[in-house]
Amino acid sequence: MKLLRHGPKGQEKPAMLDAQGQVRDLSAIIGDLRADMLTPEGLAALRAIDPAKLPLVAQPGRMAPPWSGMGKFICVGLNYADHAAESNLPVPAEPILFTKHTSTVIGCNDPVVLPQGSVKSDWEVELGVVIGRKARYVSEAEALGHVAGYCVVNDVSEREYQIERGGTWDKGKGCDTFGPVGPWLVTADEVADPQQLGMWLEVNGRRFQNGNTRTMIFGVAQLVSYISRFMTLYPGDLISTGTPPGVGMGHKPEPVFLKQGDKMKLGIDGLGEQNQTVHAWDPALIDG
């Protein structure tokens, strides 16, 4: 299944795609697509619905984050060896973990708003892993059984805040609007192998990132197992699994960073595409 939510902020409605890729309204059956519905039982109930019998949404409008109630947004740093190299950092012996605040989460095409004074904001296309079953000290062999599905994530990052301002990476990763998610949550049964997904990102029509999840240092099963040793994962938690090379910080001969008016387009095989326009600081775009 491809599950989604659409509509203005605060008025989002749940939906699913039918076999023709058309949006079908679920709001008469469920009020919202909540994190607690992403369990195996919850997804089985949704899978039993015939999309052809649901009302067609002719003009869905804004694409919202695909589910509500995300508890944790956990990210993995330097998970592609060639991205570590372009960052002039060693390949990690263990996964590097950090968090993005859930206040970063926006819809896949919502405005990305630069923080005040930002001059080093950057892009990162990433595979998102959505948890569907509580995971605590799970083995790698069991790990994928705890995954509800997958999605596209843009891990937008302010590199000055991340690297030059001291402390952890979180302050450069947690700015408002720095976590576009979606367009869909694609359930795990539709992704034959999460380690064989092409991924790409363009800025203003120029291709900067062109990678594949097969080159991850730590694969999805390894990450779910590893992270579950340090925290309990619950349905609706999101793991963003790292980015391939081609970020602006690593561009040669000079870095390239986002500026007002830039347009980002990114996608992952079978998981859909995102489109964002970059805006200067404007709290109305964040709160509206």
Side-chain angles (χ1 to χ4, degrees):
M1 289 183 296
K2 293 180 175 68
L3 301 170
L4 62 131
R5 296 163 69 241
H6 64 97
K9 291 182 181 179
Q11 303 175 48
E12 293 90 346
K13 294 183 178 181
M16 63 170 57
L17 294 189
D18 64 19
Q20 289 72 45
Q22 301 176 111
V23 177
R24 298 284 181 164
D25 183 33
L26 276 169
S27 60
I29 299 173
I30 57 173
D32 195 4
L33 183 60
R34 305 187 312 270
D36 61 5
M37 296 176 177
L38 303 181
T39 61
E41 296 77 16
L43 293 179
L46 292 174
R47 199 170 283 113
I49 299 169
D50 181 0
K53 296 181 179 179
L54 297 173
L56 182 66
V57 182
Q59 296 180 318
R62 171 183 177 257
M63 298 292 285
W67 71 100
S68 66
M70 183 190 303
K72 291 191 285 294
F73 192 164
I74 306 149
C75 298
V76 183
L78 303 177
N79 196 29
Y80 291 72
D82 34 13
H83 172 53
E86 72 174 352
S87 303
N88 297 314
L89 293 168
V91 173
E94 294 190 35
I96 295 172
L97 304 182
F98 61 92
T99 59
K100 289 178 85 79
H101 313 303
T102 54
S103 56
T104 66
V105 177
I106 59 173
C108 63
N109 303 329
D110 285 350
V112 168
V113 180
L114 299 177
Q116 293 184 21
S118 168
V119 294
K120 293 186 179 180
S121 289
D122 204 348
W123 56 82
E124 296 188 5
V125 60
E126 305 199 1
L127 173 66
V129 178
V130 187
I131 299 299
R133 177 183 291 158
K134 184 171 76 173
R136 181 185 293 150
Y137 290 101
V138 301
S139 68
E140 287 187 27
E142 300 171 323
L144 294 184
H146 294 261
V147 173
Y150 302 92
C151 61
V152 182
V153 174
N154 189 355
D155 176 18
V156 186
S157 309
E158 216 299 344
R159 303 301 189 187
E160 179 187 1
Y161 298 2
Q162 176 188 357
I163 298 168
E164 302 173 33
R165 301 287 291 272
T168 66
W169 289 5
D170 300 55
K171 66 179 71 171
K173 298 284 190 171
C175 304
D176 293 332
T177 75
F178 273 23
V181 177
W184 319 308
L185 188 164
V186 180
T187 53
D189 58 297
E190 291 199 4
V191 179
D193 184 352
Q195 303 306 149
Q196 294 291 332
L197 299 174
M199 54 205 306
W200 54 272
L201 181 143
E202 298 175 351
V203 180
N204 300 329
R206 178 181 174 185
R207 182 70 58 98
F208 280 91
Q209 292 190 275
N210 209 9
N212 194 291
T213 57
R214 65 173 172 266
T215 65
M216 282 183 184
I217 300 167
F218 306 103
V220 172
Q222 289 175 286
L223 292 174
V224 173
S225 174
Y226 182 86
I227 294 168
S228 77
R229 304 176 199 173
F230 299 97
M231 64 195 81
T232 302
L233 298 170
Y234 293 97
D237 287 350
L238 176 61
I239 300 170
S240 199
T241 56
T243 198
V247 300
M249 177 178 65
H251 185 264
K252 302 294 189 293
E254 298 293 334
V256 177
F257 294 113
L258 294 168
K259 61 186 183 301
Q260 180 181 1
D262 283 346
K263 296 185 182 300
M264 293 182 282
K265 184 175 182 179
L266 57 147
I268 299 178
D269 290 349
L271 304 185
E273 296 184 1
Q274 300 187 355
N275 290 272
Q276 298 111 28
T277 299
V278 179
H279 296 260
W281 174 254
D282 183 350
L285 293 173
I286 298 170
D287 299 330

